[in-house]
Amino acid sequence: MSSTIKVKPDELADVIVKELQTYKQEVADDMKAACLECAKTAAADLKATSPYRRHKKGTKGGHYRTGWDVSVLYESNSTIRVAIHNKKKPGLVHLLEHGHAKKNGGRTKALPHVEPEERKLEGMITQEVVQRFKR
């Protein structure tokens, strides 16, 4: 259902600019919501797919796996910056992703788990934005 607005010819430009600004803000809000939703999904996927150390029965473990979280770094009217990070073991991400030197020589094998999720997230955000604009 469309709404009609009666305006005088000399006010037409102002009304068009106002409507375009309203539409621009709606689009920006939708895109920000899509980014935040996709980041939360990616963090949940990382919780499920991250490597973890199997401990003996009765001991704690899995701190790295459960530490994934989403933080909003910056948000304005039109943009948002979101970070997916490991809040419990932040220094371990790079070591597990790329491998590292061992104490007595040699290297550990890399366990790439962030990079595949990052590639998946790029496609997910694109797909989510396209779906939101089809409505």
Side-chain angles (χ1 to χ4, degrees):
M1 187 171 153
S2 64
S3 61
T4 57
I5 302 171
K6 291 186 177 183
V7 294
K8 296 177 185 175
D10 55 331
E11 298 172 350
L12 183 61
D14 294 334
V15 172
I16 290 173
V17 167
K18 182 181 175 187
E19 289 299 315
L20 286 174
Q21 286 175 342
T22 303
Y23 176 72
K24 175 185 165 188
Q25 190 59 47
E26 290 174 6
V27 169
D29 290 343
D30 275 350
M31 292 197 52
K32 291 188 321 186
C35 286
L36 192 58
E37 184 179 318
C38 289
K40 288 179 181 178
T41 303
D45 289 349
L46 279 169
K47 283 183 181 181
T49 61
S50 291
Y52 64 97
R53 178 182 288 173
R54 299 183 197 321
H55 285 274
K56 295 177 184 175
K57 198 170 190 176
T59 61
K60 290 185 176 184
H63 295 289
Y64 176 74
R65 181 177 245 190
T66 59
W68 292 103
D69 196 20
V70 175
S71 295
V72 176
L73 300 177
Y74 172 79
E75 185 172 5
S76 70
N77 287 338
S78 59
T79 62
I80 189 169
R81 289 185 199 142
V82 181
I84 302 169
H85 59 95
N86 195 304
K87 61 185 176 185
K88 292 184 180 177
K89 303 278 186 176
L92 198 54
V93 177
H94 179 79
L95 297 175
L96 289 175
E97 187 75 12
H98 302 290
H100 58 90
K102 291 197 272 184
K103 186 176 179 181
N104 296 323
R107 291 194 62 82
T108 62
K109 70 175 188 172
L111 301 171
H113 56 287
V114 177
E115 185 183 350
E117 192 61 39
E118 186 178 353
R119 280 188 259 114
K120 182 178 160 188
L121 182 61
E122 289 173 2
M124 190 185 329
I125 288 175
T126 305
Q127 187 179 26
E128 182 70 25
V129 169
V130 168
Q131 285 179 356
R132 286 177 184 257
F133 287 115
K134 283 185 178 179
R135 293 184 222 161

